[in-house]
Amino acid sequence: MNKKLTAVVLSGAVVWLMGAHALAAQPAGQSDIIPISAPVEDIAMTDSALYYGTVSAISTEEDGTISRLTMESEAHGQYVMNLSPDTVWVDAGNKTAADSSTVKVGDRLYVYHSHVSTRSLPPQSAAFAVVVNVPQDMGAPHYHVVNNVASQEDGSVKFSVDNGGLILSVSVDAGLSAYEGDAPALADIQAGDRIMAWYDIVLTSYPGQSGASHIMLLPAKAEDLPKPEEGAQLTMELDGKVPNMVGRYESGVAMVPVAAVAQALGLDVTYTPNTDEGALVTVESDQFRVSLYLDRQIITGVTKIEGAVGATGPLDYGKAPYVVAPGTTWAPAEIFKMLGRTVTLEGTNLIIE
């Protein structure tokens, strides 16, 4: 079972958005970047970590497919990137898929990889995207997973990525391409899709905001496990412990009893039956608050960090919260991503860390 590092507090969100996004735009040859080396409390809820360094060794399978890149960084030392069939190779300058067979020892590459790494020396991590051919006058494109899509009246689209930490505005004039096949229409890109996005400046609000000049649609990850059947019970693992409760798979969504799960994760839960907007359930950590208005089927989030601004939502997770007598509120497990948690469904086992 793959374990994923808990995405962490939002105080790091502004730091990372102004740091890693800006640094990633530096031309090759300037300072190396490896956000994963930062203290855990300084890593935002991003879809991946970014490493920039030099290839010192290449391991291949019998058929010649690259399975491992050993990387060197002047700032952060050696790192091993493990590649899989889901790893994409992107040519930043041409905005196309890259030919991995041309990579050689001595090349300097950008690698987007998992926040999780082994404790071995050198550490190892799973690579999501390898970026080559980054022109000197532009930054590397960014790897993201689309969380939500909001169409605008002028035909543009806003993509929520990084677990709600960043909003990308994409105009009707933005460039579009596909890693494989014909270029998609803007409306073809949906929640759950993997993308590479070309953009520069990120505003310091929470969530951060930027405008993308080009989007590349990446192929979907291979599905290792079938999706549960409608109505199936879901076992749960919460912070490494197996609680005496189950979730449900409904309408393609993993649903959980909110209060019980939140309390098991050390979060605060409040129920207010009568507000101006209906019954309200709030789930909050020290840095963030999620509000579920049951009567209006609205889910929103807002930072509690002093001096930070902005909010997330209202969000549509595919199924609205509901109450089962005598008073158990059920909601999509995905809401815990806004609170800095990783949510993974492996078959009928739901993991929240």
Side-chain angles (χ1 to χ4, degrees):
M1 180 181 298
N2 293 328
K3 298 295 182 182
K4 297 184 178 179
L5 179 67
T6 300
V8 291
V9 299
L10 299 177
S11 57
V14 175
V15 174
W16 195 92
L17 288 171
M18 290 302 294
H21 281 282
L23 288 172
Q26 294 180 357
Q30 296 187 15
S31 61
D32 292 350
I33 310 158
I34 177 170
I36 196 171
S37 68
V40 170
E41 60 269 18
D42 289 336
I43 300 175
M45 297 185 297
T46 54
D47 296 315
S48 63
L50 174 58
Y51 181 100
Y52 175 63
T54 303
V55 178
S56 60
I58 301 174
S59 301
T60 61
E61 303 287 356
E62 292 182 358
D63 62 0
T65 301
I66 297 177
S67 59
R68 177 179 295 182
L69 294 172
T70 302
M71 309 283 293
E72 300 283 351
S73 162
E74 291 87 346
H76 303 288
Q78 193 176 61
Y79 223 91
V80 175
M81 302 297 177
N82 293 315
L83 281 64
S84 75
D86 287 325
T87 305
V88 295
W89 292 77
V90 177
D91 184 317
N94 294 315
K95 299 180 175 65
T96 62
D99 183 358
S100 61
S101 66
T102 64
V103 174
K104 60 186 182 299
V105 171
D107 285 350
R108 295 179 70 80
L109 307 174
Y110 292 84
V111 182
Y112 288 91
H113 64 96
S114 170
H115 284 295
V116 177
S117 62
T118 67
R119 295 183 179 180
S120 59
L121 292 176
Q124 301 183 33
S125 186
F128 301 146
V130 181
V131 181
V132 303
N133 186 31
V134 179
Q136 292 290 327
D137 59 350
M138 67 174 286
H142 306 264
Y143 173 90
H144 292 297
V145 178
V146 177
N147 302 134
N148 291 283
V149 180
S151 299
Q152 308 300 300
E153 291 184 359
D154 62 359
S156 65
V157 169
K158 290 187 176 182
F159 295 135
S160 171
V161 299
D162 286 349
N163 297 300
L166 177 64
I167 303 297
L168 293 178
S169 296
V170 186
S171 72
V172 293
D173 298 325
L176 295 171
S177 61
Y179 188 78
E180 298 173 341
D182 297 331
L186 194 53
D188 293 334
I189 303 176
Q190 303 294 320
D193 286 342
R194 300 193 300 162
I195 61 172
M196 297 298 297
W198 279 254
Y199 58 90
D200 295 317
I201 298 174
V202 177
L203 300 182
T204 59
S205 60
Y206 185 83
Q209 299 183 51
S210 187
S213 61
H214 190 96
I215 297 290
M216 175 189 286
L217 179 61
L218 303 177
K221 283 188 175 182
E223 293 290 340
D224 295 328
L225 294 170
K227 293 182 179 179
E229 295 182 359
E230 176 67 19
Q233 286 192 345
L234 305 176
T235 57
M236 283 192 269
E237 185 176 332
L238 308 176
D239 277 348
K241 299 179 181 179
V242 179
N244 185 25
M245 68 178 91
V246 295
R248 301 171 179 169
Y249 192 75
E250 301 174 344
S251 302
V253 179
M255 303 290 288
V256 296
V258 175
V261 170
Q263 290 166 0
L265 295 172
L267 302 170
D268 295 325
V269 184
T270 304
Y271 174 68
T272 306
N274 298 307
T275 73
D276 292 340
E277 299 184 69
L280 169 66
V281 174
T282 60
V283 184
E284 52 192 303
S285 64
D286 292 340
Q287 285 80 29
F288 206 75
R289 177 186 298 112
V290 175
S291 299
L292 298 82
Y293 287 97
L294 303 180
D295 294 348
R296 295 187 59 190
Q297 300 183 350
I298 294 175
I299 300 176
T300 60
V302 63
T303 179
K304 295 168 58 180
I305 301 172
E306 185 177 355
V309 295
T312 300
L315 298 178
D316 181 3
Y317 287 101
K319 187 173 179 62
Y322 61 87
V323 177
V324 174
T328 301
T329 301
W330 287 75
E334 293 284 306
I335 68 169
F336 289 98
K337 284 187 175 181
M338 283 196 285
L339 290 152
R341 299 296 180 141
T342 297
V343 180
T344 308
L345 183 61
E346 297 183 349
T348 57
N349 189 37
L350 179 64
I351 305 167
I352 305 178
E353 300 178 291

